[in-house]
């Protein structure tokens, strides 16, 4: 029975590596998968899942008008799994389409992404994944500054000073964000 999975974690928790690994495991057994990623993530190149350790994989970019259910339903071959990177940037409608893929097409869907933004507010995609997912799993990493588990993302400016206001979405990597624990988020040792 197919299920909708939400695997979330702070920055640097290995979400993109996990997608590439899961895709490889299916494909090694001749079981085709589709990988989707947000079309607004331009850190590497639009339409790629990229990890910080250098692994990358072509993916289908998702934009506001992308109908994930239609894309999967009309795909010319049998699919065994749908993998979605940067699921936090999806809309409510996209998450409902992912649930529809699971429920109507009986294909498992694994969505990977951040749960909360730099102000510790839920992203739209994450909020609806938390509501609709059959299984929710936290991918763990350690705080940039101490030994505790990182559960938040600290945005920093070009001088490495904490930023607590601004637009929710600012695409960036290690130069812009640190995975941190709650204590270091509110009082980072910078």
């Amino acid at each position: 029975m197919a299920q909708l999975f939400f695997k979330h974690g702070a920055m640097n928790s290995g979400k993109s590596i996990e997608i590439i690994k899961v895709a490889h495991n299916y494909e090694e057994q001749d079981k085709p998968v589709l990988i989707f990623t947000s079309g607004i993530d331009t850190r590497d190149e639009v339409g790629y899942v990229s990890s910080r350790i250098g692994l990358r994989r072509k993916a289908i970019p998702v934009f506001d008008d992308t109908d994930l259910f239609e894309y999967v339903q009309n795909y010319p071959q049998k699919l065994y799994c749908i993998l979605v990177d940067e699921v936090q940037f999806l809309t409510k409608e996209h998450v409902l389409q992912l649930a529809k893929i699971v429920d109507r097409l009986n294909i498992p869907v694994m969505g990977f992404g951040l749960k909360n933004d730099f102000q510790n507010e839920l992203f739209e995609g994450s909020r609806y994944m938390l509501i609709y997912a059959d299984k929710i799993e936290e991918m763990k990493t350690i705080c940039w500054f101490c030994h505790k588990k990182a559960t938040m993302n600290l945005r920093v400016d070009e001088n490495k000073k904490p930023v607590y206001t601004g637009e929710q979405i600012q695409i960036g990597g290690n130069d812009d964000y640190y995975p941190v624990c709650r204590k270091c988020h509110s009082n980072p040792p910078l």
Side-chain angles (χ1 to χ4, degrees), residues 98-133:
L98 294 176
K100 193 173 170 183
I101 290 167
V102 171
D103 296 341
R104 294 200 187 161
L105 303 179
N106 200 35
I107 301 171
V109 175
M110 296 182 183
F112 296 77
L114 301 172
K115 181 179 68 171
N116 43 308
D117 66 17
F118 75 109
Q119 295 175 314
N120 290 314
E121 298 293 333
L122 293 174
F123 286 96
E124 179 178 356
S126 303
R127 177 174 185 233
Y128 288 101
M129 286 297 287
L130 287 167
I131 292 169
Y132 288 100

Side-chain angles (χ1 to χ4, degrees), residues 1-189:
M1 174 182 225
Q3 293 185 326
L4 177 59
F5 297 86
F6 180 32
K7 297 188 178 203
H8 67 85
M11 303 283 287
N12 290 345
S13 61
K15 298 177 296 295
S16 298
I17 294 168
E18 183 72 12
I19 287 175
I20 294 168
K21 181 185 89 172
V22 170
H24 171 77
N25 289 344
Y26 272 97
E27 292 166 344
E28 192 172 43
Q29 298 175 26
D30 293 322
K31 295 176 179 173
V33 302
L34 279 182
I35 302 175
F36 291 97
T37 190
S38 172
I40 67 170
D41 186 353
T42 58
R43 284 177 290 176
D44 183 6
E45 186 177 345
V46 172
Y48 280 87
V49 172
S50 299
S51 74
R52 286 175 178 76
I53 64 169
L55 298 175
R56 73 192 297 249
R57 175 76 189 259
K58 186 88 176 108
I60 300 148
V62 177
F63 300 98
D64 285 347
D65 62 348
T66 303
D67 188 324
L68 298 167
F69 180 80
E70 287 297 318
Y71 194 99
V72 172
Q73 183 180 37
N74 295 322
Y75 201 73
Q77 70 184 119
K78 177 179 172 62
L79 295 166
Y80 288 82
C81 188
I82 306 303
L83 302 163
V84 186
D85 196 21
E86 306 294 352
V87 75
Q88 72 271 9
F89 297 141
L90 298 185
T91 64
K92 176 183 179 181
E93 186 58 35
H94 288 133
V95 173
L96 293 174
Q97 292 165 8
L98 294 176
K100 193 173 170 183
I101 290 167
V102 171
D103 296 341
R104 294 200 187 161
L105 303 179
N106 200 35
I107 301 171
V109 175
M110 296 182 183
F112 296 77
L114 301 172
K115 181 179 68 171
N116 43 308
D117 66 17
F118 75 109
Q119 295 175 314
N120 290 314
E121 298 293 333
L122 293 174
F123 286 96
E124 179 178 356
S126 303
R127 177 174 185 233
Y128 288 101
M129 286 297 287
L130 287 167
I131 292 169
Y132 288 100
D134 298 300
K135 295 210 173 165
I136 299 167
E137 178 184 325
E138 180 183 23
M139 298 182 69
K140 297 172 181 72
T141 191
I142 57 170
C143 178
W144 194 266
F145 303 109
C146 73
H147 63 279
K148 293 180 183 175
K149 179 177 77 167
T151 58
M152 301 178 180
N153 303 294
L154 178 67
R155 183 184 287 175
V156 295
D157 65 17
E158 61 277 351
N159 298 314
K160 302 300 179 199
K161 299 295 180 200
V163 176
Y164 297 103
T165 61
E167 294 294 318
Q168 182 181 49
I169 297 173
Q170 176 183 307
I171 305 300
N174 289 346
D175 291 340
D176 302 301
Y177 294 96
Y178 297 139
V180 294
C181 67
R182 183 182 60 241
K183 179 180 177 184
C184 291
H185 185 272
S186 61
N187 189 24

